[in-house]
């Protein structure tokens, strides 16, 4: 959409995102006060609780509360949510401007004359740090790296992420293969010796990292599936 219209894509980050959202009506959550507030109201330490009014990091429903908050705020400014993706918003009266919220990360594209207006509107209801527009330099977004070319966008897993994983498992000097899965290798599904707790945790960590990488490397899907099994 941005390429077709020659629009920029702006990146943003909502500071202390979850704290913007109020708890839903009927949800009552109590927490222990921090040690620095143990003598609040003259009561003995450990003898009283606080009732939350806003979402707090660590609550299972905190992302939902914040998503509802975003929905309320964007609706006030004329945005409508996409039927295909609840995190994608469209503004028909502003030349089809689009904005994506992924937790506290923002990606916005719109006509140049709307950029300042939209940014100021969002900054008036939440604390947003605007990080600039995607260009030919690699920029980090949602853990991956992105950049803009004249007629396309490119996405990759940060090289440091891959190097760190290869170092941990001693694969920095291994030979390359044509495909991400060597078909000549037969996986032993019933090993003679089961993994110990530390090895087991290490293997699970590896598979988790590969599952995350697969979003940018769909060619790895088969290999990651086999390792997961």
């Amino acid at each position: 959409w941005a390429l077709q219209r020659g629009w920029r894509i702006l990146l943003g980050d909502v500071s202390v995102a979850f704290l913007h959202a109020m708890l839903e009506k009927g949800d009552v959550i109590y927490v222990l006060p921090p040690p620095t507030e143990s003598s609040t109201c003259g009561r003995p330490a450990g003898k009283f609780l606080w009732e939350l009014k806003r979402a707090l990091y660590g609550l299972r429903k905190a992302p939902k509360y914040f998503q509802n908050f975003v929905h309320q705020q964007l609706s006030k400014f004329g945005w409508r949510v996409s039927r295909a993706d609840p995190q994608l918003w469209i503004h028909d009266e502003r030349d089809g401007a689009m904005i994506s919220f992924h937790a506290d990360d923002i990606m916005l594209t719109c006509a140049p004359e709307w950029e300042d207006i939209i940014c100021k509107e969002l900054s008036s209801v939440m604390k947003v740090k605007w990080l600039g527009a995607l260009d030919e330099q690699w920029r980090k977004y949602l853990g991956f790296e992105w950049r803009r070319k004249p007629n396309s966008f490119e996405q990759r897993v940060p090289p440091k992420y891959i190097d760190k994983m290869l170092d941990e498992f001693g694969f920095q000097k291994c030979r390359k293969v044509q495909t991400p899965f060597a078909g000549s290798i037969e996986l032993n599904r019933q090993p003679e010796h089961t993994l110990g707790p530390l090895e087991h945790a290490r293997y699970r960590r590896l598979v988790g990292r590969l599952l995350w990488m697969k979003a940018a490397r769909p060619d790895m899907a088969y290999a990651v599936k086999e390792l997961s099994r």
Side-chain angles (χ1 to χ4, degrees):
W1 191 257
L3 287 172
Q4 289 176 5
R5 286 155 179 75
W7 294 350
R8 299 199 306 168
I9 287 188
L10 300 179
L11 303 180
D13 179 80
V14 183
S15 302
V16 293
F18 293 168
L19 303 185
H20 288 83
M22 303 296 290
L23 266 61
E24 293 179 350
K25 189 175 181 180
D27 285 350
V28 180
I29 299 174
Y30 296 102
V31 296
L32 287 169
T36 55
E37 303 294 332
S38 60
S39 60
T40 301
C41 303
R43 296 187 178 95
K47 298 295 184 180
F48 64 98
L49 301 173
W50 282 357
E51 180 181 348
L52 290 183
K53 293 185 178 181
R54 292 180 177 270
L56 191 67
Y57 282 82
L59 294 181
R60 293 179 64 183
K61 284 188 175 181
K64 177 185 175 183
Y65 292 139
F66 179 67
Q67 205 65 24
N68 291 341
F69 168 79
V70 170
H71 182 95
Q72 295 167 2
Q73 303 306 318
L74 292 183
S75 296
K76 288 193 296 188
F77 295 123
W79 295 84
R80 65 174 176 85
V81 66
S82 165
R83 289 186 296 173
D85 185 344
Q87 294 175 314
L88 177 64
W89 294 76
I90 305 165
H91 206 303
D92 298 311
E93 297 177 0
R94 294 178 177 176
D95 304 319
M98 289 186 177
I99 188 169
S100 172
F101 268 83
H102 192 285
D104 56 355
D105 292 305
I106 300 174
M107 186 176 275
L108 166 68
T109 185
C110 62
E113 60 267 25
W114 290 110
E115 279 188 5
D116 287 343
I117 296 173
I118 294 174
C119 290
K120 288 179 180 178
E121 287 179 345
L122 292 175
S123 297
S124 70
V125 294
M126 60 188 81
K127 190 175 181 180
V128 182
K129 180 180 179 181
W130 294 104
L131 307 174
L134 283 180
D135 52 26
E136 293 191 357
Q137 301 298 318
W138 289 106
R139 301 284 300 276
K140 203 164 184 179
Y141 180 73
L142 298 180
F144 297 109
E145 290 183 343
W146 302 66
R147 68 178 177 182
R148 182 169 189 159
K149 306 296 282 185
N151 298 307
S152 65
F153 289 96
E154 294 181 350
Q155 179 197 38
R156 71 177 183 182
V157 177
K160 290 183 179 180
Y161 183 92
I162 298 175
D163 290 340
K164 183 178 179 181
M165 186 165 52
L166 293 175
D167 279 338
E168 181 177 352
F169 290 89
F171 288 159
Q172 275 288 17
K173 296 182 179 180
C174 63
R175 292 183 297 173
K176 297 180 180 180
V177 293
Q178 294 297 320
T179 64
F181 188 82
S184 60
I185 296 177
E186 182 65 28
L187 295 180
N188 185 2
R189 303 199 186 283
Q190 294 181 338
E192 296 179 2
H193 303 287
T194 57
L195 296 178
L198 293 179
E199 292 174 316
H200 198 223
R202 188 168 174 237
Y203 186 82
R204 291 199 310 271
R205 185 167 66 251
L206 166 68
V207 172
R209 290 176 178 176
L210 293 174
L211 283 167
W212 181 81
M213 287 176 56
K214 187 166 62 68
R217 288 286 305 276
D219 58 319
M220 293 171 48
Y222 182 79
V224 176
K225 183 264 294 182
E226 289 295 297
L227 292 171
S228 301
R229 292 178 64 190

